Amino acid sequence: MTGDNWEADTRASYDTVAESYADQVRGAIAHYPYLRAALAAFAESTGGGPVADIGCGPGEVTAHLNELGVEAFGIDLSPAMIALARRTHPGLRFEVGSMVALELPAASVGGLLAWQSLIHVPDAEIPAVLAGFHRVLRPGGPLQLLFHVGDTSRLKTEGYGGHPMKVRVHRRRPERVSAWLRAAGFEVEAELLLDPAAEVPQAVLFARRG
Ligand SMILES: C[S@@+](CC[C@H](N)C(=O)[O-])C[C@H]1O[C@@H](n2cnc3c(N)ncnc32)[C@H](O)[C@@H]1O
């Protein structure tokens, strides 16, 4: 996979696995108290108004945020994911779009969350994506990222029940992501490491637009 077609490959991959991915994550948040705590902290720190869940997949987290009283909407690259999210959560707003070119007005969202979606964006495009997040967030708005921790990138060729995929998964160290965030104008407020002894831990970064 080259840098030129990663978005098309990622879109096609998640279109293929949308139903099985949704089956796998449905209700899963109930089993992850630290992730629920991260969402509760995020919900508490938004300054009201719409909040964007970028790379929302089937919309589980978007729906959870709404249950916490946050007016969250979802954006995802995969039309199949968005169709599924709309069907599952008919009262909520979901739109097809890419974080590489967010079609949102400047300073239009009170918070922005990207869980396990920045993991598919190549290093070279991260500064532009974070600049876009900064542009659409209101000053002081929170940004929360969840990602796999490590130094390697791998090509995932199947997933979620053996379906074919062609998607790069980039593992990154929190200090590296924090440096990108600071360079883009964010203050990094907290870092949460999940399963620190696991082969691939996960990290949540809590940042805020300065
Ligand atoms: C591993 S899933 C995570 C879904 C959801 N955030 C969750 O935590 O369950 C990754 C999602 O990111 C989406 N995605 C990948 N690249 C994207 C991009 N450039 N813009 C928007 N969404 C993207 C994929 O389509 C997929 O639905």
Side-chain angles (χ1 to χ4, degrees):
M1 183 161 45
T2 68
D4 292 330
N5 60 8
W6 71 268
E7 254 189 312
D9 288 338
T10 304
R11 181 186 298 111
S13 295
Y14 279 102
D15 276 350
T16 302
V17 302
E19 297 285 343
S20 44
Y21 182 89
D23 289 345
Q24 198 158 314
V25 300
R26 190 169 299 117
I29 195 79
H31 306 293
Y32 295 96
Y34 295 105
L35 288 178
R36 289 203 308 280
L39 289 177
F42 177 79
E44 212 175 282
S45 65
T46 63
V51 159
D53 177 6
I54 309 285
C56 63
E60 284 280 304
V61 170
T62 324
H64 186 83
L65 286 171
N66 276 272
E67 282 162 19
L68 294 177
V70 175
E71 186 195 334
F73 66 98
I75 293 179
D76 200 281
L77 189 59
S78 155
M81 282 290 197
I82 290 299
L84 202 150
R86 286 178 178 153
R87 205 169 65 233
T88 313
H89 309 286
L92 303 183
R93 176 180 152 207
F94 294 99
E95 290 163 15
V96 175
S98 175
M99 69 175 86
V100 171
L102 283 178
E103 292 180 8
L104 295 171
S108 63
V109 300
L112 196 150
L113 183 121
W115 270 25
Q116 303 294 23
S117 53
L118 209 59
I119 60 170
H120 299 307
V121 177
D123 287 358
E125 303 205 28
I126 295 284
V129 167
L130 296 182
F133 289 177
H134 190 275
R135 180 185 69 79
V136 304
L137 257 174
R138 284 202 278 275
L143 168 66
Q144 186 176 107
L145 305 177
L146 171 68
F147 53 95
H148 301 301
V149 175
D151 295 304
T152 56
S153 296
R154 73 183 180 101
L155 180 63
K156 186 170 178 168
T157 54
E158 63 161 38
Y160 310 107
H163 298 282
M165 298 185 84
K166 189 180 178 190
V167 63
R168 285 249 167 231
V169 181
H170 304 282
R171 297 173 185 162
R172 291 167 174 134
R173 302 223 162 256
E175 52 271 31
R176 184 166 190 225
V177 180
S178 292
W180 271 323
L181 285 168
R182 292 190 186 100
F186 290 94
E187 290 160 18
V188 179
E189 295 185 334
E191 178 184 314
L192 171 65
L193 190 63
L194 300 160
D195 290 326
E199 190 190 340
V200 186
Q202 296 185 78
V204 184
L205 282 183
F206 301 76
R208 194 173 292 280
R209 183 188 155 162

